[in-house]
Amino acid sequence: GDGSADPGPFGHASWWPTSIVTNNLDPHLGKRDVRWAMSKYLDRDQIIEVAFSGHGTLSAYPWPPFGGFDDVEAALADVYAEYPTNAYDLAAADAHMTGAGYTKNSDGYWENADGVVTCDILGFGIFSDQGPVIAAQLEKGGIKSSYAEPVDAYALMTSGKTVADGGYTCAIFGHNGAQGGDPYLTLLLYYTGNEGNFYNYSNPEFDKLVDELSLIDSDDRAEIIRVSKAAMEIWMKDLPDIHIVQFLTRPAMSTKYWTNWPQAKN
């Protein structure tokens, strides 16, 4: 039908929530205030409207919206209230930038003694719908930005280098972390030196908690949640990368050979 009876979103959430990968080695993007400003410049509802015709869903955390994480997210509700990772707030974003010592230049871009804050986003074909929208919103906020899909995007993103050394500033990618209800593999993505840590994020206090989490018995859910919450409090304060939307898988269903596919009422 025309979809008017069902507001969506259509598709099922993948285990691969999407974010702007920010290179924490960059002199600007390495600042917590700059990352938070970038997050608050993003109107995620508009991203979903333009890129997915309204049929999308937000990502507040670096794991997918699976039932196994319900108790972890419930424990984080008060932390989210203090650090709302999906908030769109232009005035607050500007305050983050000025508070970090930035001023807008004559071109309307934020800069300091190290130059202009830049987020040139490396992308892949699956992100060609949202990438340009994100770049345009960052530009509007005063963050110099672009979106491109070079053939060496993955090599650049995983290089562990800044642009000055032949690396990158930003990318769009998903999270190969927790696919069940255990936050450990997701938190490990942000562990110092882990090969999945494209963000080049490093916080010794966070690392210590991830080490602690690795030793907890899998049956001790209360302790898993306690330590995960402590680690996520650091993560949400620091915001190592900027979360955007859930990656929705939309498999096409042909009735040429098979009928009776699952539907909302079936």
Side-chain angles (χ1 to χ4, degrees):
D2 61 5
S4 58
D6 185 355
F10 303 115
H12 61 83
S14 169
W15 44 264
W16 213 58
T18 302
S19 74
I20 302 176
V21 178
T22 45
N23 188 347
N24 283 241
L25 296 176
D26 181 88
H28 305 293
L29 304 179
K31 292 182 170 71
R32 173 196 297 159
D33 276 305
V34 171
R35 296 191 297 272
W36 265 108
M38 289 168 62
S39 181
K40 289 177 182 178
Y41 283 133
L42 294 181
D43 180 351
R44 291 164 175 82
D45 290 334
Q46 185 183 62
I47 293 169
I48 287 173
E49 184 56 44
V50 176
F52 311 117
S53 301
H55 302 305
T57 182
L58 297 178
S59 172
Y61 305 104
W63 52 69
F66 293 170
F69 292 101
D70 287 351
D71 52 359
V72 186
E73 293 192 9
L76 287 171
D78 59 328
V79 188
Y80 184 86
E82 188 176 356
Y83 300 106
T85 51
N86 284 154
Y88 172 51
D89 189 335
L90 299 180
D94 287 349
H96 278 291
M97 295 304 294
T98 55
Y102 288 88
T103 52
K104 275 193 175 177
N105 64 18
S106 56
D107 294 324
Y109 292 127
W110 292 105
E111 69 174 4
N112 68 1
D114 291 321
V116 172
V117 182
T118 303
C119 176
D120 287 325
I121 302 167
L122 301 174
F124 304 86
I126 50 174
F127 300 128
S128 57
D129 44 15
Q130 59 185 289
V133 189
I134 293 166
Q137 289 185 357
L138 291 175
E139 278 273 322
K140 199 173 173 185
I143 307 294
K144 196 171 192 302
S145 187
S146 64
Y147 176 77
E149 297 173 3
V151 292
D152 58 348
Y154 189 79
L156 290 168
M157 182 183 74
T158 57
S159 66
K161 296 177 180 176
T162 62
V163 164
D165 293 326
Y168 83 107
T169 50
C170 293
I172 301 184
F173 210 66
H175 293 72
N176 297 320
Q179 298 174 30
D182 187 350
Y184 173 68
L185 288 176
T186 292
L187 295 173
L188 195 61
L189 292 174
Y190 300 91
Y191 190 88
T192 303
N194 177 23
E195 64 178 16
N197 187 353
F198 314 134
Y199 331 96
N200 303 305
Y201 171 71
S202 181
N203 183 316
E205 194 184 345
F206 177 87
D207 290 349
K208 190 177 170 186
L209 288 163
V210 176
D211 284 335
E212 191 179 333
L213 192 60
S214 72
L215 300 173
I216 300 171
D217 189 290
S218 60
D219 293 331
D220 193 348
R221 191 64 182 174
E223 188 66 359
I224 287 172
I225 291 173
R226 184 188 71 78
V227 178
S228 296
K229 179 178 181 179
M232 282 300 292
E233 282 175 345
I234 297 171
W235 184 94
M236 291 172 78
K237 186 178 181 181
D238 283 357
L239 201 70
D241 63 329
I242 299 161
H243 286 256
I244 309 167
V245 293
Q246 296 296 340
F247 193 86
L248 296 185
T249 303
R250 299 179 171 95
M253 295 180 296
S254 167
T255 55
K256 183 172 181 179
Y257 300 108
W258 301 91
T259 58
N260 199 31
W261 288 99
Q263 296 174 347
K265 294 176 182 176
N266 176 10

